[in-house]
Each structure stands twice: as C-alpha cells, then as structure tokens.
Amino acid sequence: MSVRKVLIVGGGFTGLTAAIALAERGVQVTLVDKAPAWARVGHGLTIQGNALRVFKEIGVIDEILEVGHAENAVTLTLSNGTVLEELVTPKTGGEDLPATIGALRPDLHEILVRKAESLGVEIRLGLELTSYENNADTATSVLSDGTREEWDVIVVAEGIKSQTRPTLGITEDRAPSGLGIWRAVTSRLPHMTGGISFPMGDDGGAFKVGYTPVSDTQCYIFVLCRPERPDNGLEGWQEVQRLMANFHGDFDHLRESLNADTFLNFQEIEWIFVEGPWHSGRVVALGEVVHAVPPLIAQGAAQCVEDSLLFAQYITEEGDFEEQLAAFYARRIPRIKGVVDASLQLAHWEQNPGTPDAEPGPVMGKALAALVPAP
C-alpha cells in the first residue's frame, strides 16, 4: 500500500467518513476543519439506506440506528390533504437495513467524530488549507497557522463553497437551482410517519412541504420555496407559517407547532456536478465539493459517504494512483449523474406546478431503485 499518510480538509460527513474508512485500513489520518470547536447545531436529515450501508461498513450503524427513527414509506398528498400515493421507499442499502431514517445532524456528526477519534485520527480545529504543492508522489500542505507538511494524499472535503476547487483545474462552479429551503425541527403526533405535500396551484406559498420523524415525539420539516427571503416584516417562524398556510392534514399541526423558540434555518439551494476528474496530482476533492444537488430525493449525504468509502478502498490497494482514481471515477460518476438528473428534473417541476405529465413520485422511485445495487 503506497498511501500511508493522508490529510483531510473538512470535518463534515464526507471528511469524517473518509477519515474513518482510511484509518480502518491502517492509514495515518489528520483531519482539519475551520470551525474553532464542534458546535451542536443543525437541523434534521433524511438518511437513505445506501448511506446506512456505508455506516454499517465503517462500524457505526448500531449507534446511528439508536439515535434515528426508521421508516420504510412516505405518504404523498395534495395540499388539501388528499392522498396521492403511499410511496414505499426502495431499500437502497439492502433488505437488512431500513429504507430511511430521520435523525438530527449533530447526533450523527458526534457519532462519526467519536469513531474517528477511537481509530486514532488526529483532529485539528480552527485550521484551513491555504495552499498546496504537488510533488512527484506526495503533496505538501500549507495550513492557516503556517505549518507545512507532506502527505501521500490530501483530500478536500470542504463542501459546495470550497475555495480549493478552482485550484484543482475544475472550471465548474455552484449554480442556483431556483429553490430555497426552510428547515426546522418541531413536534409530531404519534400517527405521523412521514409525508410530502404538493400545492394545488401557484398561490405564492411553498412549492412543497414535507416531514420526517427523528424521534417518537419530534420531526424534521422542510419547506421548499423561492430562493429569496422576502422582506415582509415577518419573523422566520411566521414566514414559514405563511408558506404553509394552504397545506392541510398533518401539516396543520406542524404549522401551528412553530413559534419564536423553534430552531429554523433558511438557505438558497445551489447545485454543482463535476463530471471530469476531481483531482490534481495527489490532491483529490470528494463529496459536495464536486457534486451537490437539491435535496429532493434525500441523496446528498448518501452520495458523499459513498464517495468516501469507495475512495478509501481504491487508494489503499496496491497499484498506480492515477489508475486507481480512474477506476474510482468510472464507478462513481454514472451513479451520481442519475441522482443529479432526477433532482434537477424534480426541481424544475417544483417551480412549475401543474406542468403536464409531471410525475414526481415515479421519478423519485426510479432514481432510488437505481441505487439499490452497491455503489
């Protein structure tokens, strides 16, 4: 094995999963993140089975299932409460794992941090990669504290806003999807097992709303809307209530549960897909640095952690590094492209309600079914 010492830049799901997978294969791993300290903040997540398959592979599945809430179907409705379909979610991680779980982002992050530390991963917080140099078979990093170190590989896992991406020769940049999203964690009633609701016309409200249980008493809700936060004098929770005003059924309870104490987050949804090489020499980008999509089939995190596991498997085998990366790309890019194409098609339909022949349910189902085979 020619790769023995790796620097990972970014401590999100991509970076931590790569750190764990590499450390389990005997690699000495250092991970840096610009955050001065890990903060327990963040909303809920819907984690599909193929991400759970990765978490099983790296030995954290039991802990993750313990903090998450498993579901195998989602109810699709119109905003007036009319049920369109009970969509059975494909078990993309195999029959031995739930189709999906809902969980709080900080819970999952803490599990991955503990696992990485237990394997001897060195974590340095408050640091960024300021520059790098490629050598013959190594790369030298310069961090924001001025330190210079040599590595067999540098992994860039900084996310969609990566400042390193252009230095790898990648010309693609993040682009607007035409959507914005509000996220919140709030209470749920016992019968509420997961739902997505579509508007019956363009009334100035949300493009779509949905929720995923994260515990017996709580759920994560999302509200898709226009990408601009209107200057209408409303507090965040009041704006979300306005966007949800015409969504009924279970969404009446969710709307009324919001108040000034609810943790809310709003952001414009951007996307990127880099189809060409993700590396320059011994510096390789993974995850949302090179592919990030609207969260319409809940595959963002799943595709990132799949990257990390497969990358670790390839580069710790005997062989030529460039050939290993070429084989890695050959497996990853077609799979990711299917997710990108489906997500962008759904994003178009969200912004154009009433589009003839729009079939969001079948498109979601087909895209997820394609992910059942292992990556």
Side-chain angles (χ1 to χ4, degrees), residues 150-233:
E150 192 170 7
W151 314 89
D152 295 319
V153 177
I154 298 175
V155 174
V156 180
E158 300 166 327
I160 191 173
K161 296 181 180 180
S162 170
Q163 299 298 305
T164 308
R165 180 172 54 234
T167 72
L168 300 174
I170 295 172
T171 57
E172 295 93 338
D173 200 358
R174 65 188 198 270
S177 70
L179 297 172
I181 188 169
W182 284 95
R183 296 180 172 99
V185 176
T186 188
S187 66
R188 75 175 181 93
L189 301 175
H191 75 274
M192 295 168 58
T193 58
I196 297 174
S197 187
F198 302 90
M200 299 180 69
D202 186 0
D203 57 10
F207 292 135
K208 181 172 74 176
V209 298
Y211 73 92
T212 299
V214 297
S215 73
D216 290 340
T217 59
Q218 288 186 306
C219 66
Y220 151 62
I221 67 171
F222 63 86
V223 178
L224 287 177
C225 57
R226 290 169 178 80
E228 306 85 14
R229 170 74 164 91
D231 184 15
N232 54 14

Side-chain angles (χ1 to χ4, degrees), residues 274-288:
V274 179
E275 197 162 357
W278 301 345
H279 75 289
S280 172
R282 289 277 174 151
V283 184
V284 184
L286 296 178
E288 290 192 339

Side-chain angles (χ1 to χ4, degrees), residues 357-369:
D357 301 322
E359 296 182 309
V363 167
M364 291 169 62
K366 183 178 179 180
L368 291 174

Side-chain angles (χ1 to χ4, degrees), residues 19-223:
I20 293 166
L22 287 165
E24 287 180 327
R25 288 162 174 78
V27 177
Q28 177 186 339
V29 180
T30 297
L31 183 148
V32 300
D33 192 275
K34 64 182 180 181
W38 299 130
R40 188 174 168 78
V41 296
H43 48 76
L45 291 170
T46 302
I47 301 293
Q48 299 281 0
N50 54 316
L52 299 179
R53 176 165 50 201
V54 173
F55 294 144
K56 180 180 178 180
E57 178 74 22
I58 64 173
V60 296
I61 188 62
D62 291 341
E63 291 177 86
I64 285 178
L65 292 178
E66 187 174 336
V67 301
H69 190 284
E71 294 290 348
N72 292 311
V74 61
T75 303
L76 306 182
T77 66
L78 293 175
S79 56
N80 66 0
T82 300
V83 175
L84 294 173
E85 182 181 359
E86 188 77 12
L87 181 65
V88 177
T89 309
K91 290 194 170 185
T92 55
E95 290 300 318
D96 61 329
L97 292 169
T100 67
I101 67 164
L104 297 178
R105 179 183 288 271
D107 286 345
L108 300 187
H109 190 264
E110 287 174 2
I111 290 169
L112 294 175
V113 169
R114 286 198 302 269
K115 181 67 173 182
E117 290 176 336
S118 76
L119 292 168
V121 174
E122 179 190 9
I123 296 178
R124 306 179 196 169
L125 298 180
L127 293 175
E128 298 180 73
L129 179 68
T130 57
S131 64
Y132 63 84
E133 300 167 6
N134 267 305
N135 312 312
D137 295 313
T138 62
T140 301
S141 66
V142 180
L143 299 180
S144 50
D145 63 356
T147 57
R148 293 175 59 91
E149 295 170 89
E150 192 170 7
W151 314 89
D152 295 319
V153 177
I154 298 175
V155 174
V156 180
E158 300 166 327
I160 191 173
K161 296 181 180 180
S162 170
Q163 299 298 305
T164 308
R165 180 172 54 234
T167 72
L168 300 174
I170 295 172
T171 57
E172 295 93 338
D173 200 358
R174 65 188 198 270
S177 70
L179 297 172
I181 188 169
W182 284 95
R183 296 180 172 99
V185 176
T186 188
S187 66
R188 75 175 181 93
L189 301 175
H191 75 274
M192 295 168 58
T193 58
I196 297 174
S197 187
F198 302 90
M200 299 180 69
D202 186 0
D203 57 10
F207 292 135
K208 181 172 74 176
V209 298
Y211 73 92
T212 299
V214 297
S215 73
D216 290 340
T217 59
Q218 288 186 306
C219 66
Y220 151 62
I221 67 171
F222 63 86
V223 178

